Amino acid sequence: MKKGFIIFILAIVVLLSMTCSVFAWDVPSHVKIGLYFEKTAVTSIEIESETGFQIGYESNNQFYGFFNKPDVKKYLVRKDSYYADSGSGVVEYNPGASDIPAGAKYGPYHVQIGPGYGSYEEVMQQVNMLNQYGIKPFPAVINGLFYVWTGCYASAEEANNAMVQAQAALGGPACTVIEPSSTRIQALAEGTDIGFIFDDRINYLNMQPMETAAVPIIYIHKKPYRGGVEFKRLNGSDMTVINRVELEQYLYAVLPREMGADWPMEALKAQAVAARTYTVLNMDKYKKYGFNLCDTTLSQVYGGYRSEQPACTQAVEETRGKILTYEGKPANVYYFSSSGGHTEDVKNVWGSSIPYLKGVEDPYEPTEKSGKGFWTVEMAPQQISEALKAKGYNVGDVLSVSAIEYSEAGSVIKLKICGTSGEVILEREEPRKVFGFNVLNSQKFTVITDSSFYIINSNGESPVAASGSQLKLLSASGISSSNVLSNQIVVKGADADKCYPMVPQKFIFQGKGWGHSVGMSQWGARGMAEAGFTYEQILTHYFTGTKVE
């Protein structure tokens, strides 16, 4: 009895520990997608909502509202900076520059009237009262407190003059000049008058559509999105614009961009689980910018509300919350378009070793349907030389390009390029980085040239490819290399002679597959679904030893 009881207790402990390990990786409720950041950060951006706006901030996945504006349908959100209005358009300018544009000037100096207030209602009482004096005040939300501000002045002198005039007109509350801030943001209601100004050391400005519609939508630069939009102005920079959206709704708009909506449902479900797992495991990818993922192929392609398709939404909902795990933790899930018949071991692409990212046969991939099964790219020696130089390699004039090592799956592991000034060996994915991922569509390729011919040796072995630059010349003076750029070699045949340049003038990359070949082939998933496999079987085929949980 005691032994049985102890075994029973141990079983419960093991079960609880397994449960805890799964719950430790709960799928987050929301995700933040960077739409404009770094080089694409913006000075200003227009946002719209047919239902009006909730204004506030987000903390720990909870939205906290400052105030609502159901009557305002459009805001122009911009940096609190220096602007010139020539009548034909408003442009930002640098006051220290020599080429300051003409027109009326506006700037980041303001005048504060009175103290701070604890609520929007309190500050708006003051704003409405001061409107009677013709001062044009507006609310400012600064580090969680509310203030009455007025004016956008281009210099401290202008702001001081305005402060003196306001003080004289009001005769009561103290007035203060507000200096420029490199993190402050303006929101102009309907694009004309300032609706409010926001600045916070910790939180970002968050604007959401009022939830009075069946599907609340916010338009960011005329493009519709679910959820809300956050604005973060890094110190001294343009604005980072972030779409904060429920994770499952984010996936609604990822699937149609990553896989065709008319594909089999089981393939769509496999893609949904893969995309969700990728999201869970990469929540910190852009942490330094204040969001989780971006909307391009650098993360997952995300098209917003306009890209949603019913079949893809169904696939997301029927797999809601499910991710791919390995030993109780989210798996590193990668996917790509087409494998060319065999996926690749991650060590042959990125150099790491992950037990469930091994190459597997991909027999169901419908190469004839994908349009991406086979490809050919031609490059001249000068193109290759210039691409190498751009990456810091200088081999001079290119004489030969040859794959000297392949993986079991058929990927080039080492590509040797010889030139008049030296040689370089590009390993694993480096050739695609050098020549462009949109040039070499995969690592599965062979290289032939316009000087390539085949030689059968005296032992009658299988023909091997050769080129003029690899031959040696036997003359009275001895053996010499044949890499004279102007020479040609003539091969006599039964029917006719054929000339080959001693040095290739054209390198032809003949390849198959599309993408990095690690993980799940999307076209292979389609083929498996058409053959009757479930989405769980598809995923566990490509990711050996994993589980869908």
Side-chain angles (χ1 to χ4, degrees):
M1 289 286 290
K2 287 184 178 179
K3 184 177 180 181
F5 182 72
I6 291 171
I7 292 173
F8 177 71
I9 293 295
L10 287 173
I12 291 176
V13 170
V14 171
L15 181 61
L16 286 174
S17 65
M18 291 173 62
T19 303
C20 289
S21 67
V22 172
F23 281 116
W25 293 97
D26 283 345
V27 176
S29 62
H30 288 75
V31 62
K32 296 183 179 183
I33 310 301
L35 304 179
Y36 301 93
F37 64 100
E38 284 187 328
K39 293 181 180 179
T40 64
V42 294
T43 296
S44 64
I45 197 163
E46 190 176 84
I47 62 169
E48 299 174 73
S49 168
E50 295 175 357
T51 59
F53 293 91
Q54 304 174 75
I55 314 296
Y57 68 96
E58 179 270 335
S59 179
N60 295 323
N61 266 334
Q62 181 68 40
F63 176 77
Y64 296 91
F66 289 132
F67 53 91
N68 295 335
K69 283 291 183 181
D71 55 322
V72 179
K73 310 302 182 184
K74 182 190 297 184
Y75 277 103
L76 177 67
V77 181
R78 69 185 187 186
K79 297 160 54 179
D80 190 32
S81 185
Y82 296 89
Y83 297 97
D85 185 356
S86 63
S88 58
V90 177
V91 295
E92 184 184 16
Y93 72 91
N94 180 351
S98 58
D99 56 345
I100 295 176
K105 304 296 191 297
Y106 306 94
Y109 289 91
H110 312 284
V111 173
Q112 178 177 306
I113 301 172
Y117 299 90
S119 71
Y120 180 73
E121 289 73 23
E122 288 180 88
V123 80
M124 286 308 296
Q125 288 180 2
Q126 298 300 314
V127 167
N128 293 332
M129 184 269 291
L130 292 172
N131 268 323
Q132 302 173 16
Y133 293 86
I135 292 177
K136 292 188 177 180
F138 53 83
V141 188
I142 311 297
N143 295 319
L145 289 178
F146 298 85
Y147 298 88
V148 178
W149 286 6
T150 185
C152 292
Y153 305 106
S155 68
E157 182 181 1
E158 286 183 44
N160 275 300
N161 292 337
M163 179 188 68
V164 171
Q165 292 174 14
Q167 190 78 58
L170 297 174
C175 296
T176 308
V177 170
I178 301 298
E179 298 285 330
S181 165
S182 60
T183 57
R184 214 156 48 215
I185 293 171
Q186 301 177 3
L188 281 66
E190 304 293 344
T192 54
D193 297 325
I194 288 188
F196 63 91
I197 280 181
F198 179 90
D199 199 0
D200 198 301
R201 290 189 299 269
I202 300 173
N203 301 305
Y204 312 148
L205 174 62
N206 187 305
M207 303 176 72
Q208 299 193 30
M210 297 289 291
E211 296 183 357
T212 55
V215 180
I217 296 297
I218 194 165
Y219 291 83
I220 305 171
H221 207 52
K222 303 297 183 182
K223 186 174 180 179
Y225 292 88
R226 292 178 184 261
V229 57
E230 286 189 350
F231 301 92
K232 178 182 181 181
R233 189 179 169 197
L234 296 174
N235 192 16
S237 77
D238 287 342
M239 292 190 304
T240 296
V241 182
I242 302 164
N243 178 210
R244 179 180 179 271
V245 61
E246 289 184 11
L247 188 144
E248 302 297 332
Q249 293 179 352
Y250 158 69
L251 296 178
Y252 293 170
V254 167
L255 254 65
R257 292 301 184 95
E258 293 287 358
M259 188 174 280
D262 59 343
W263 283 24
M265 181 54 63
E266 293 304 305
L268 292 174
K269 288 181 181 179
Q271 181 66 58
V273 173
R276 187 181 294 110
T277 307
Y278 178 90
T279 302
V280 169
L281 203 59
N282 287 274
M283 291 294 284
D284 291 335
K285 187 172 182 179
Y286 291 92
K287 185 177 180 179
K288 67 178 181 178
Y289 298 113
F291 56 88
N292 307 117
L293 302 170
C294 72
D295 62 345
T296 72
T297 54
L298 295 175
S299 295
Q300 297 179 123
V301 181
Y302 169 62
Y305 181 70
R306 192 174 290 150
S307 67
E308 294 181 17
Q309 296 290 336
C312 295
T313 299
Q314 179 184 342
V316 171
E317 287 301 324
E318 291 186 5
T319 62
R320 176 175 278 269
K322 291 185 180 295
I323 63 172
L324 195 68
T325 65
Y326 181 78
E327 295 183 346
K329 297 179 181 179
N332 281 285
V333 172
Y334 298 99
Y335 51 88
F336 57 95
S337 182
S338 168
S339 73
H342 202 292
T343 68
E344 189 54 81
D345 190 322
V346 66
K347 73 178 181 181
N348 295 325
V349 181
W350 299 312
S352 53
S353 179
I354 299 175
Y356 52 86
L357 292 180
K358 303 296 183 183
V360 298
E361 290 187 6
D362 204 7
Y364 295 96
E365 184 176 278
T367 304
E368 71 284 355
K369 292 182 181 179
S370 72
K372 297 182 177 180
F374 301 96
W375 49 269
T376 299
V377 173
E378 295 184 2
M379 282 188 270
Q382 185 177 357
Q383 288 178 274
I384 296 173
S385 178
E386 289 174 354
L388 288 170
K389 285 180 180 178
K391 296 295 183 180
Y393 304 110
N394 187 3
V395 299
D397 295 322
V398 174
L399 301 174
S400 67
V401 179
S402 56
I404 60 174
E405 185 178 336
Y406 284 93
S407 73
E408 293 181 4
S411 296
V412 174
I413 304 303
K414 292 182 179 180
L415 185 70
K416 184 177 181 179
I417 304 174
C418 298
T420 55
S421 300
E423 64 181 46
V424 63
I425 295 177
L426 304 177
E427 298 189 19
R428 296 191 292 271
E429 206 180 29
E430 195 65 23
R432 297 188 70 207
K433 292 180 180 179
V434 169
F435 301 120
F437 290 99
N438 60 338
V439 176
L440 298 182
N441 297 319
S442 75
Q443 287 179 228
K444 291 187 175 73
F445 61 82
T446 57
V447 186
I448 62 172
T449 74
D450 56 353
S451 73
S452 294
F453 50 88
Y454 292 87
I455 299 174
I456 300 177
N457 64 19
S458 59
N459 296 325
E461 295 176 354
S462 299
V464 294
S467 65
S469 63
Q470 296 173 298
L471 298 181
K472 301 294 182 180
L473 299 180
L474 178 61
S475 65
S477 58
I479 298 175
S480 61
S481 297
S482 60
N483 58 352
V484 182
L485 298 183
S486 61
N487 284 356
Q488 290 184 328
I489 186 169
V490 179
V491 177
K492 291 186 174 293
D495 299 324
D497 297 345
K498 188 167 183 179
C499 294
Y500 295 89
M502 295 294 264
V503 175
Q505 301 304 302
K506 185 187 299 181
F507 292 91
I508 304 162
F509 296 76
Q510 296 179 331
K512 59 182 179 178
W514 205 285
H516 50 65
S517 290
V518 177
M520 184 181 77
S521 160
Q522 291 169 314
W523 278 93
R526 172 175 173 161
M528 290 186 70
E530 290 173 341
F533 290 92
T534 66
Y535 77 92
E536 294 100 332
Q537 291 171 323
I538 293 170
L539 289 166
T540 54
H541 168 72
Y542 288 109
F543 302 95
T544 308
T546 60
K547 295 180 181 179
V548 177
E549 297 185 284

